[in-house]
Amino acid sequence: MFEARLNNATTLKKILDAIKDLLNEGTFDCSDSGIQLQAMDNSHVSLVSLTLRSDGFDKFRCDRNLSMGMNLGSMAKILKCANNDDTVTIKAQDNADTVTFMFESQNQEKVSDYEMKLMNLDQEHLGIPETDYSCVVRMPAMEFARICRDLAQFSESVVICCTKEGVKFSASGDVGSANVKLAQTFNVDKEEEAIVIEMQEPVVLTFACRYLNAFTKATPLSNQVQLSMSADVPLVVEYRIAELGHIRYYLAPKIED
Amino acid sequence: KTKQGNIMNFFKKK
């Protein structure tokens, strides 16, 4: 028996919004430690890794490990039927071929359940090595989303250059070129407005704007985003989900042809 | 000119 409850459907809606543009389907691996999903986008350029800890749920029970392959478009249709302040419970029997989403209104007067067929997905799991990154940048998630959106107008790719002084995002194309420089902040009132750079070695890397923009769909989940970079390895874009876990996107860099 | 890398070139299959 598997049962996971969140007192507020908003978080689950936001999580799905953060992955459904990149992935058509995904396998939710459930164990007593929580729920994990790892999947590559169709073109194998990026990888999504979602971790939701069992202690972050309002109720969590998982008697046996189970993997639930879900069509994320179908899941989105179902979650659209939940009000933001509904309690959502995800339920499945052991070895079942369906999963049930139950939504309960605050006053308990409306209870709906939606059963969805599970899929057998033959997804490859990749081992992600522990890496000490040359540069780790923490910045407001809204600011990162804004920069990705702005620079995508000028080029298909953005160059991220990180030094001790700051981080610079650049794009150039037919129209011209754009550069956005962010300096590390000192003495900001609010932690969520801070820009923090931890640098061992400076890095310059090129990434596809399309994917960066897809990752920023996670912005409503977190005030801050963390970018981890080293030369010639995938960028990690991490959004923490308060008290529940995190979503990490890995993006292969563009390389000199 | 740059070309897009594939994520599977960086992480090994489990």
Side-chain angles (χ1 to χ4, degrees):
Chain A
M1 172 84 185
F2 169 77
E3 194 173 331
R5 186 167 73 211
L6 286 169
N7 283 346
N8 193 311
T10 318
T11 310
L12 196 58
K13 285 173 178 249
K14 287 179 185 170
I15 290 168
L16 193 64
D17 283 341
I19 60 175
K20 73 173 168 43
D21 289 356
L22 278 170
L23 311 172
N24 296 326
E25 58 242 342
T27 301
F28 292 80
D29 295 310
C30 308
S31 69
D32 58 7
S33 62
I35 301 175
Q36 282 216 300
L37 173 143
Q38 192 207 76
M40 286 180 279
D41 71 274
N42 279 339
S43 48
H44 291 187
V45 170
S46 68
L47 179 121
V48 180
S49 175
L50 170 72
T51 299
L52 306 173
R53 292 186 313 268
S54 52
D55 60 21
F57 286 84
D58 297 296
K59 183 183 176 190
F60 194 91
R61 175 181 166 187
C62 184
D63 301 336
R64 292 174 65 180
N65 291 1
L66 88 161
S67 292
M68 298 192 287
M70 298 192 205
N71 178 302
L72 300 181
S74 307
M75 190 177 165
K77 282 182 189 170
I78 290 174
L79 285 181
K80 227 184 243 179
C81 305
N83 282 320
N84 283 344
D85 56 358
D86 281 355
T87 293
V88 50
T89 308
I90 310 169
K91 287 194 281 195
Q93 300 295 328
D94 294 337
N95 303 317
D97 54 7
T98 60
V99 60
T100 299
F101 294 86
M102 184 171 78
F103 307 134
E104 293 166 276
S105 64
Q106 289 269 304
N107 57 15
Q108 304 278 315
E109 281 171 4
K110 179 179 173 188
V111 179
S112 11
D113 61 80
Y114 297 84
E115 195 181 70
M116 184 174 84
K117 288 178 195 138
L118 292 174
M119 307 166 79
N120 246 328
L121 300 172
D122 194 19
Q123 284 187 334
E124 285 164 310
H125 274 65
L126 302 181
I128 300 163
E130 280 287 312
T131 308
D132 286 327
Y133 288 93
S134 302
C135 292
V136 177
V137 179
R138 281 191 298 280
M139 61 187 285
M142 293 270 277
E143 186 66 82
F144 180 62
R146 178 68 201 258
I147 292 169
C148 293
R149 192 190 72 188
D150 290 349
L151 296 195
Q153 301 184 101
F154 299 93
S155 172
E156 285 179 3
S157 37
V158 58
V159 178
I160 304 179
C161 173
C162 185
T163 64
K164 209 163 42 188
E165 283 71 41
V167 58
K168 185 173 79 170
F169 301 84
S170 309
S172 63
D174 297 339
V175 174
S177 64
N179 292 290
V180 180
K181 284 184 233 170
L182 296 177
Q184 188 156 197
T185 53
F186 297 96
N187 306 322
V188 285
D189 289 342
K190 295 177 192 157
E191 204 181 322
E192 64 259 31
E193 288 171 4
I195 297 168
V196 179
I197 298 169
E198 288 164 18
M199 191 209 73
Q200 315 297 325
E201 296 267 346
V203 291
V204 182
L205 288 161
T206 305
F207 298 103
C209 290
R210 209 181 115 222
Y211 289 92
L212 295 176
N213 271 309
F215 304 164
T216 63
K217 293 289 187 311
T219 305
L221 284 167
S222 195
N223 288 325
Q224 285 253 314
V225 61
Q226 179 170 299
L227 314 178
S228 303
M229 294 167 282
S230 282
D232 306 320
V233 302
L235 160 77
V236 192
V237 180
E238 176 178 329
Y239 294 86
R240 296 200 182 141
I241 308 167
E243 287 154 35
L244 187 59
H246 59 253
I247 181 159
R248 288 185 187 138
Y249 302 94
Y250 296 84
L251 178 60
K254 287 193 156 193
I255 41 183
E256 291 298 324
D257 201 2
Chain B
K1 216 39 192 152
T2 54
K3 70 169 186 197
Q4 178 60 59
N6 184 318
I7 200 85
M8 293 179 79
N9 295 339
F10 297 94
F11 301 140
K12 292 198 178 77
K13 279 186 212 172
K14 260 188 188 170

